[in-house]
Amino acid sequence: METPTYIVLSRQLGLSRQMDVVANNLANTNTPGFKAEGMVFSEYLIKAEKPVKLSYVQDLASYRDMREGNIQTTGNDLDVAIQGKGFFVVQTTDGPRYTRNGRFQLNAAGEIVTSGGFRVLAGGAPLIVNTDDGPITVASDGTVSADRTQGGNTPVIYGKLDVVTFNDDSKLTPDGSSMFASEEAPAQATVADFKVQQRMIEGSNVESIREMTSMIWVQRNYQSAQKFLEGEHERMRRAVNYIIPSS
């Protein structure tokens, strides 16, 4: 008699996990470089008395939608977006991480860092600039320089931002809201793969209306499952009272 309850509970567990994913997507709607997450469900069959097979719900895995987000103009010299393939490389205490969130800034040492304080790499090393050299320019290939021609000096080139690619972006492991880790060694992106755009940022690829619709759908299905469980509990209670009447 408890079999329907277990089946519906498996559905509720899957819906609960899906609600967490949808809520996280909505929370990162405005996070630059964020990639929306989705769920993969499957049917899990258990053999019972022949010829019956019990079908449970299994949340098999999650995946990331690696499509490019909309490019937004910011006007900030240190905001850069990748148009096309590729990821920026940042240095963390756990090793290199990869991101398309190009909202960069300068730390006290003059190093270009992420909003989380992680150093952005150029040629495998931190990139240091001197603000006294003038406005920072980032070329389409990622070369960072400063135009000192107004003072009669030649432009200074600080380095070229590391932009790398992977054979399969879906195998990257999320680490934080917009960074990824990889067991696979990346390849240096070619000029044909990407174009760096200065004073722009890649927004989240979350479709907020779609996620809100998903949230309503998940909530309604969870409530329907709960009503079924309450009805099943009442049915079992009545069955027990019928078999073992109270004195």
Side-chain angles (χ1 to χ4, degrees):
M1 289 193 301
E2 295 180 350
T3 297
T5 299
Y6 292 141
I7 293 174
V8 175
L9 281 173
S10 73
R11 176 58 173 157
Q12 278 194 313
L13 287 172
L15 289 169
S16 177
R17 170 64 177 142
Q18 189 174 5
M19 180 62 82
D20 290 341
V21 169
V22 171
N24 185 60
N25 286 341
L26 286 171
N28 286 280
T29 300
N30 296 318
T31 301
F34 180 81
K35 302 303 178 186
E37 186 178 7
M39 292 292 300
V40 177
F41 293 95
S42 67
E43 182 182 30
Y44 186 75
L45 295 175
I46 296 179
K47 292 183 179 180
E49 296 181 2
K50 294 182 179 180
V52 177
K53 287 185 179 180
L54 302 180
S55 176
Y56 290 80
V57 178
Q58 181 182 26
D59 53 335
L60 189 63
S62 62
Y63 66 91
R64 289 280 174 170
D65 179 1
M66 302 303 290
R67 290 178 301 169
E68 187 174 324
N70 293 327
I71 304 297
Q72 306 163 2
T73 302
T74 66
N76 186 344
D77 286 346
L78 289 177
D79 283 346
V80 287
I82 297 176
Q83 183 178 19
K85 300 179 181 178
F87 296 82
F88 297 114
V89 185
V90 299
Q91 183 183 66
T92 74
T93 54
D94 297 319
R97 293 294 184 265
Y98 311 96
T99 183
R100 288 180 65 93
N101 182 353
R103 178 157 287 170
F104 299 147
Q105 57 193 33
L106 294 180
N107 63 13
E111 298 170 319
I112 296 181
V113 297
T114 67
S115 56
F118 299 114
R119 295 180 177 89
V120 180
L121 300 185
L127 185 59
I128 302 175
V129 302
N130 184 355
T131 55
D132 293 333
D133 290 333
I136 295 173
T137 300
V138 183
S140 61
D141 66 348
T143 299
V144 181
S145 61
D147 186 3
R148 300 190 299 176
T149 55
Q150 292 182 353
N153 298 313
T154 58
V156 56
I157 297 176
Y158 301 114
K160 181 192 282 188
L161 295 170
D162 287 340
V163 179
V164 299
T165 59
F166 298 89
N167 291 327
D168 187 356
D169 291 349
S170 65
K171 293 183 179 180
L172 295 174
T173 304
D175 185 2
S177 61
S178 58
M179 292 199 303
F180 298 88
S182 175
E183 296 181 357
E184 171 194 345
Q188 197 69 31
T190 64
V191 177
D193 290 330
F194 72 97
K195 178 182 178 181
V196 174
Q197 296 181 302
Q198 188 182 15
R199 303 181 186 90
M200 295 186 178
I201 204 79
E202 179 184 347
S204 166
N205 68 355
V206 172
E207 299 177 25
S208 56
I209 295 178
R210 180 179 178 180
E211 295 297 330
M212 286 296 295
T213 302
S214 295
M215 177 173 283
I216 294 171
W217 182 87
V218 171
Q219 186 177 24
R220 287 178 176 174
N221 277 268
Y222 190 94
Q223 289 172 344
S224 296
Q226 185 62 35
K227 287 180 179 178
F228 177 88
L229 289 176
E230 291 171 356
E232 187 68 8
H233 174 75
E234 179 63 20
R235 183 185 68 83
M236 293 176 66
R237 186 187 67 81
R238 289 179 179 179
V240 170
N241 288 340
Y242 179 80
I243 296 171
I244 311 174
S246 58
S247 56

